[in-house]
Amino acid sequence: MINIEVNGKKIDAREGETILSALKRAMIKVPTLCHMEGLKPTGACRMCVVDVEGFNTLTPACSYPVAEGMKIKTHSPRAVRARKTIIELLLANHPDDCLYCERNENCELSRLAAEYGVRERRFTGSRNRYPLDVSSPSIVRDPEKCILCGKCVRMCEEIQGVSAVDFIRRGSRAAVGCAFEQGLNISSCINCGQCIMVCPTGALREKNSLKEVIAALNDPEKFVVVQHAPSISVTLAEEFGVNPGTDVAGAMTAALRRLGFKRVFDTSFSADLTIMEEASELVHRIQSGGPLPLMTSCSPGWIKYVEEFYPDFIGNLSSCKSPQQMLGALIKHVFAPKEGIDPAKVFNVSIMPCTAKKFEAHRPELGVDGIPDIDAVLTTRELAQLIKEYGLNLGALDPEGPDGPFGIRSTAGKMFGATGGVMEAALRTAHYFLTGKEMPNLKVQSLRGLYGTKEARVSIADLEINVAAVSGLKNAAALLEEIRAGRKNIHFIEVMTCPGGCIAGGGQPLGADTDAVRARMQALYNIDQKENMRTSHGNRMVRELYEFYLEQPLSEKSHRLLHTHYSKREVLI
Amino acid sequence: MMNEQPQETISRQPGQSLNHDNIQAVLAKYPNAQRELLIPLLQEVQEQQGYLSKDAVIQIGKHLKLPTSKIYGVATFYNQFRFQSIGKYHIMLCRGTACHVKGSFSLLNTLQRLLKIEAGQTTRDGLFSLEVVACIGACGLAPVICVNGEFHGNLTVDDLPKILNQYRNKEKKGDA
Ligand code: SF4
Ligand code: SF4
Ligand code: SF4
Ligand code: FES
């Protein structure tokens, strides 16, 4: 422990930590634009400068270590002036587009400009003109609004191991872009949207699908059905100013009905179904000798990553479609005929925590007889926008229950929303499949929590099963490298593209810190603790679906609707 | 105004490009290359190909296990690399001190405007490419440009359209 003095008050700092980290713990706010928790500081933006007694120049708090007896002023006149100048310079060649900007009211740059009282243009730089990149099905890049903080570049490279974007050129012509300044669609981008989550401005955003959805809702010919992913109900409320970790499943269902959706289904139902199929696949592969380890296939960013960077592991991927696609196929090919609705009139909307789901919905491999399973994907943020646009007050709506038959879920399916959740759910069901009995303690503690890589060993009957749950593709790559190098003792790997899983997906409410993500995760665990139906095989609607239609897991019918295949993908640039 | 002056730096022929196998041959010379060799490799491929094609960058990336975005980022950081094959008429504009003093910056701007390209690029019809070079050793003629080895010196921006047209006409005659 070392003592430092900040703004005249003593605070405790830890050996080796940065000034910024000590300030954060003491709840003293210093603005940052390029700082990323958990990554090495780059010192690119210099917004975090503070005045340290005895130092001639201002010191960047994000990269400078504390020292015994250090006296710091976070808001000395020259520190404040420096920050203000930085903001003014960033705005010098910035488009004055706030009113029309996706990030209006949620922009770190404009918030800082307001906080520091920047109310006139002091520098006029020539504005950089760059084309908008709308080539990707998931992400829109607007380089004119980019302030070159480098966070997206680092996220893409250091957390996701993709490096679709990087800094190009230098000086006044520097920009962030893909190789050869081509569109994201032909780059290695896996559509995860994590770059959006860290971008302080409107330079990165999702490809918005509200227009199609609103058009479908107003089309009397269309039967518009909605499904919501497991994590949405525990994150949506944040968009309405409610604390992270609040579950609003009932109010959300009510809101979706008010918006005009004819049926409100729950993707957690098809998550249960995924578990039935995937656990059967696991048991089958263990008994018939491979290919192992089996790897989950519900996260579309991860799938594209394997296709591009690790095609030798394609055979390890589960052939299960993701829950989104499974439910889409079931709605069109089982629910519609049964209800006497023309499947061609069904318009499937899914509310997802994820921008890559927009890409997934377009994949030709996913669909049945040329009919796409899903017609439009909205992120949590887009749903919030739709609810606001329709003037609905989420807090004032009485909770409502989901529709049958695809609204019933177990808590196992619900836990798909957090890293480790799929694995926990799968183990519960694999245990039942192998022994005919329930797992004594359904909870697998070592698969819980916000760690990038988690491993567990479970004994089921006379089998020792080793499993891993990883999130953040750099972590997944590290595990794959171990396997390439000869590691043989893993049977089953769950991979979620986004660090923490869907609760921190690229379509979730912006500005969440680790604590907020942890609260979202806890909300899912609480649901698992509170409710009684805690296994996917225990979901009565899932059982009914097998009895009434699918027969059994991995049957011919389930293969037609619920499974797919993948192939190697060349990165074009 | 036109001056013929032998210069050994002007040996490049327009339109050469390396095919896939040639690039592989270059890479094969450095079997265990690491990241440090990125710049030398880019230079060698550009030396042979006249520019860095997409295919070349992708292959260098695979060889060095570097993402193409990173390679492109590094390559655009330096002024020496180009990503389009040079045009039939390759214009080198001197930005040395003498030329700078005599207004080479406005020559650059005017050329970029007239050709609708930036330095380092090639016109869509493949006729002209533009490159900015440090002193080409013709300070006596400042400000100077050099087109496929032909020097044009003591220029003003008003001379440029004439010079470009001269090459365009040559091209038309050649076609007829
Ligand atoms: S990015 Fe921020 S500052 Fe820039 S136009 Fe959008 S809201 Fe305004
Ligand atoms: S969406 Fe993901 S992969 Fe694509 S550029 Fe952003 S961070 Fe990289
Ligand atoms: S796009 Fe956003 S995150 Fe990336 S460098 Fe620009 S401002 Fe930063
Ligand atoms: S946050 Fe410290 S330099 Fe950007």
Side-chain angles (χ1 to χ4, degrees):
Chain A
M1 203 54 95
I2 47 186
N3 300 303
I4 61 173
E5 190 187 297
V6 181
N7 302 337
K9 266 178 58 187
K10 294 232 171 319
I11 67 168
D12 292 333
R14 294 178 188 153
E15 190 74 45
E17 75 176 337
T18 61
I19 297 176
L20 184 67
S21 121
L23 292 177
K24 273 202 175 149
R25 218 166 340 95
M27 314 270 266
I28 298 166
K29 196 179 137 196
V30 162
T32 61
L33 278 174
C34 70
H35 175 72
M36 292 175 87
E37 233 174 283
L39 297 186
K40 280 213 193 84
T42 57
C45 75
R46 304 198 63 85
M47 268 311 285
C48 64
V49 287
V50 294
D51 224 328
V52 180
E53 198 178 279
F55 287 20
N56 283 333
T57 52
L58 292 167
T59 306
C62 71
S63 53
Y64 205 86
V66 291
E68 181 63 43
M70 209 176 222
K71 291 199 170 104
I72 296 165
K73 287 214 161 52
T74 56
H75 289 75
S76 72
R78 79 171 175 160
V80 170
R81 210 180 318 118
R83 286 182 210 137
K84 189 166 177 179
T85 306
I86 291 167
I87 300 165
E88 287 169 328
L89 286 169
L90 286 173
L91 290 176
N93 59 2
H94 198 80
D96 287 335
D97 199 22
C98 302
L99 206 47
Y100 304 99
C101 185
E102 182 87 6
R103 293 292 289 269
N104 185 6
E105 298 204 329
N106 199 359
C107 167
E108 288 174 45
L109 180 60
S110 73
R111 190 181 307 141
L112 281 173
E115 271 174 24
Y116 281 78
V118 176
R119 283 300 176 239
E120 62 183 345
R121 193 178 268 287
R122 197 149 71 93
F123 306 107
T124 317
S126 69
R127 211 179 119 184
N128 292 323
R129 289 287 180 181
Y130 295 112
L132 199 64
D133 180 5
V134 293
S135 65
S136 156
S138 302
I139 316 285
V140 176
R141 284 189 60 243
D142 187 352
E144 291 190 6
K145 288 181 185 161
C146 173
I147 57 169
L148 302 175
C149 72
K151 281 164 122 177
C152 57
V153 173
R154 305 190 69 204
M155 173 55 80
C156 196
E157 176 178 356
E158 296 174 44
I159 306 288
Q160 299 298 50
V162 174
S163 283
V165 288
D166 208 329
F167 281 102
I168 52 184
R169 295 186 295 266
R170 64 172 157 180
S172 64
R173 296 175 64 242
V176 166
C178 297
F180 293 95
E181 285 156 84
Q182 298 282 319
L184 267 180
N185 63 332
I186 59 165
S187 76
S188 54
C189 170
I190 52 148
N191 306 299
C192 69
Q194 286 300 309
C195 49
I196 300 175
M197 305 309 281
V198 293
C199 182
T201 73
L204 288 163
R205 53 187 188 259
E206 74 262 289
K207 177 71 82 51
N208 192 299
S209 309
L210 282 174
K211 226 166 134 186
E212 295 118 89
V213 173
I214 293 172
L217 285 169
N218 289 302
D219 182 344
E221 286 292 296
K222 292 254 157 69
F223 189 89
V224 190
V225 177
V226 70
Q227 57 168 297
H228 52 86
S231 61
I232 313 298
S233 77
V234 299
T235 61
L236 178 67
E238 289 168 46
E239 289 282 340
F240 299 87
V242 179
N243 283 343
T246 311
D247 181 21
V248 290
M252 176 174 74
T253 303
L256 289 168
R257 291 218 177 89
R258 300 294 173 285
L259 292 171
F261 292 103
K262 294 272 185 357
R263 293 288 187 283
V264 182
F265 292 144
D266 192 337
T267 316
S268 306
F269 165 85
S270 48
D272 280 334
L273 200 58
T274 304
I275 289 301
M276 296 295 281
E277 297 286 327
E278 218 161 59
S280 308
E281 219 178 347
L282 176 69
V283 170
H284 175 87
R285 288 197 196 188
I286 289 178
Q287 286 167 349
S288 67
L292 289 172
L294 175 68
M295 297 172 180
T296 58
S297 58
C298 31
S299 186
W302 153 244
I303 296 291
K304 189 168 185 251
Y305 188 75
V306 174
E307 292 174 316
E308 289 174 352
F309 298 107
Y310 290 92
D312 45 323
F313 284 101
I314 287 177
N316 294 74
L317 292 173
S318 159
S319 65
C320 289
K321 288 183 186 176
S322 71
Q324 154 174 288
Q325 302 295 133
M326 283 195 182
L327 190 49
L330 287 172
I331 292 167
K332 290 196 181 178
H333 303 281
V334 178
F335 164 82
K338 188 160 179 269
E339 300 267 313
I341 302 161
D342 178 0
K345 294 196 171 154
V346 173
F347 189 89
N348 268 334
V349 177
S350 62
I351 315 293
M352 291 286 139
C354 179
T355 48
K357 288 282 166 193
K358 291 174 184 266
F359 162 78
E360 181 182 56
H362 289 291
R363 289 189 65 134
E365 304 85 340
L366 303 172
V368 179
D369 307 333
I371 303 170
D373 297 336
I374 297 295
D375 298 288
V377 177
L378 299 180
T379 60
T380 314
R381 296 190 292 269
E382 288 169 275
L383 173 61
Q385 167 67 36
L386 188 62
I387 293 174
K388 287 175 190 164
E389 199 168 315
Y390 275 59
L392 296 172
N393 180 353
L394 203 60
L397 290 168
D398 282 334
E400 293 178 14
D403 285 304
F406 304 141
I408 306 294
R409 55 140 185 87
S410 75
T411 62
K414 190 73 176 168
M415 292 215 302
F416 262 60
T419 166
V422 176
M423 188 55 74
E424 209 175 315
L427 288 175
R428 292 176 187 182
T429 293
H431 187 282
Y432 179 77
F433 283 172
L434 284 164
T435 65
K437 287 195 284 264
E438 297 298 346
M439 213 159 106
N441 176 9
L442 291 176
K443 187 169 161 188
V444 187
Q445 187 58 43
S446 45
L447 292 174
R448 294 197 169 190
L450 278 181
Y451 308 97
T453 305
K454 298 175 277 192
E455 295 199 16
R457 170 179 299 180
V458 251
S459 316
I460 302 180
D462 49 357
L463 276 178
E464 281 262 293
I465 300 188
N466 292 312
V467 301
V470 292
S471 64
L473 292 183
K474 198 76 188 267
N475 294 326
L479 194 56
L480 293 184
E481 291 297 342
E482 283 178 25
I483 295 169
R484 266 188 184 167
R487 182 168 176 192
K488 291 219 163 32
N489 64 348
I490 304 192
H491 298 98
F492 192 13
I493 301 173
E494 171 210 290
V495 181
M496 295 198 189
T497 303
C498 298
C502 310
I503 43 170
Q508 294 286 28
L510 297 162
D513 56 9
T514 319
D515 288 340
V517 175
R518 204 172 281 124
R520 296 169 179 176
M521 181 175 234
Q522 192 55 47
L524 293 178
Y525 294 156
N526 291 347
I527 292 170
D528 182 51
Q529 196 166 6
K530 248 179 9 219
E531 296 181 14
N532 292 325
M533 196 165 74
R534 295 180 64 195
T535 61
S536 302
H537 56 276
N539 182 334
R540 63 187 159 80
M541 287 317 292
V542 167
R543 281 206 306 269
E544 233 172 76
L545 181 64
Y546 279 108
E547 276 160 36
F548 154 74
Y549 185 81
L550 291 172
E551 294 157 13
Q552 78 249 356
L554 309 181
S555 71
E556 209 173 293
K557 280 185 181 154
S558 78
H559 265 288
R560 187 173 101 87
L561 296 183
L562 312 181
H563 291 258
T564 185
H565 56 84
Y566 302 103
S567 42
K568 184 176 158 76
R569 186 185 285 267
E570 285 295 333
V571 177
L572 298 181
I573 49 163
Chain B
M1 203 202 295
M2 200 180 295
N3 293 272
E4 300 272 350
Q5 212 169 304
Q7 269 281 326
E8 55 173 24
T9 51
I10 331 270
S11 59
R12 243 187 261 150
Q13 281 306 305
Q16 302 171 321
S17 85
L18 285 184
N19 65 28
H20 196 88
D21 295 342
N22 299 138
I23 299 166
Q24 283 302 325
V26 173
L27 295 176
K29 292 199 280 177
Y30 309 92
N32 299 314
Q34 302 271 315
R35 198 189 169 132
E36 304 83 73
L37 276 187
L38 174 60
I39 302 278
L41 267 174
L42 290 172
Q43 282 166 333
E44 184 160 345
V45 170
Q46 168 149 310
E47 186 65 30
Q48 299 208 16
Q49 196 176 30
Y51 73 110
L52 295 170
S53 63
K54 265 187 209 169
D55 187 42
V57 170
I58 291 170
Q59 288 188 66
I60 293 172
K62 283 196 175 141
H63 192 70
L64 298 181
K65 297 199 175 55
L66 279 177
T68 47
S69 62
K70 190 128 286 194
I71 299 180
Y72 186 75
V74 169
T76 53
F77 189 85
Y78 301 100
N79 274 331
Q80 52 177 301
F81 297 109
R82 48 184 302 121
F83 303 93
Q84 290 173 321
S85 62
I86 54 176
K88 185 148 186 197
Y89 298 99
H90 186 58
I91 306 170
M92 294 203 282
L93 178 126
C94 181
R95 288 286 284 134
T97 318
C99 288
H100 178 75
V101 172
K102 296 241 181 150
S104 64
F105 188 61
S106 7
L107 291 187
L108 174 62
N109 282 337
T110 311
L111 274 175
Q112 295 191 137
R113 187 167 45 77
L114 289 173
L115 295 171
K116 300 197 183 69
I117 56 171
E118 287 185 36
Q121 296 180 335
T122 302
T123 54
R124 248 163 216 259
D125 57 9
L127 204 54
F128 294 104
S129 50
L130 180 59
E131 182 180 354
V132 168
V133 292
C135 186
I136 42 179
C139 304
L141 302 172
V144 60
I145 66 172
C146 173
V147 185
N148 287 7
E150 269 175 353
F151 282 79
H152 304 262
N154 302 316
L155 292 179
T156 67
V157 290
D158 298 333
D159 298 325
L160 293 171
K162 261 183 288 170
I163 295 176
L164 294 180
N165 278 333
Q166 201 179 305
Y167 289 104
R168 288 194 182 111
N169 290 335
K170 207 163 163 182
E171 208 36 36
K172 271 187 210 140
K173 270 184 219 138
D175 283 350

